[in-house]
Amino acid sequence: MTNRQALLIADSTFQRMGVVPGILEAIIVQGSDTEAYKNLPALKETLNKTRAKFADVTKELVLEHERQIALNGGRVSMFMEDELQLQKKLNLKTDMCIQ
């Protein structure tokens, strides 16, 4: 059992609201307009219609989240500020293996 799995089981058992952190789906697109779409399915629909390029990075993001939990003593917050200051910037290609 990984650290993350143990954390999720503990959270689902002991957390009052019965919710656990998780990544359902993640994509990466070129641009910076984050408020034009209400949700990910709407964005993906538009990208498919316009044939704009995007990449599904769910697997890589989940793996990075696992790595962050292991490095940060079980804290589930991804990209902790103190950790990022030590490592400077996170590189999508070399650190997260996103091509």
Side-chain angles (χ1 to χ4, degrees), residues 25-45:
E25 188 174 8
I27 64 169
I28 191 166
V29 296
Q30 186 175 4
S32 61
D33 190 3
T34 59
E35 300 197 15
Y37 304 95
K38 292 182 179 182
N39 53 43
L40 188 57
L43 172 61
K44 285 176 67 176
E45 182 179 338

Side-chain angles (χ1 to χ4, degrees), residues 49-85:
K49 283 181 183 176
T50 61
R51 294 186 177 174
K53 290 184 178 182
F54 67 94
D56 184 343
V57 293
T58 307
K59 177 184 168 191
E60 292 84 0
L61 205 56
V62 168
L63 289 172
E64 180 61 24
H65 191 220
E66 288 273 352
R67 189 177 79 81
Q68 292 285 332
I69 290 171
L71 291 175
N72 294 320
R75 294 182 287 177
V76 294
S77 295
M78 193 164 175
F79 307 120
M80 303 284 291
E81 282 193 38
D82 55 341
E83 184 70 25
L84 289 176
Q85 288 174 355

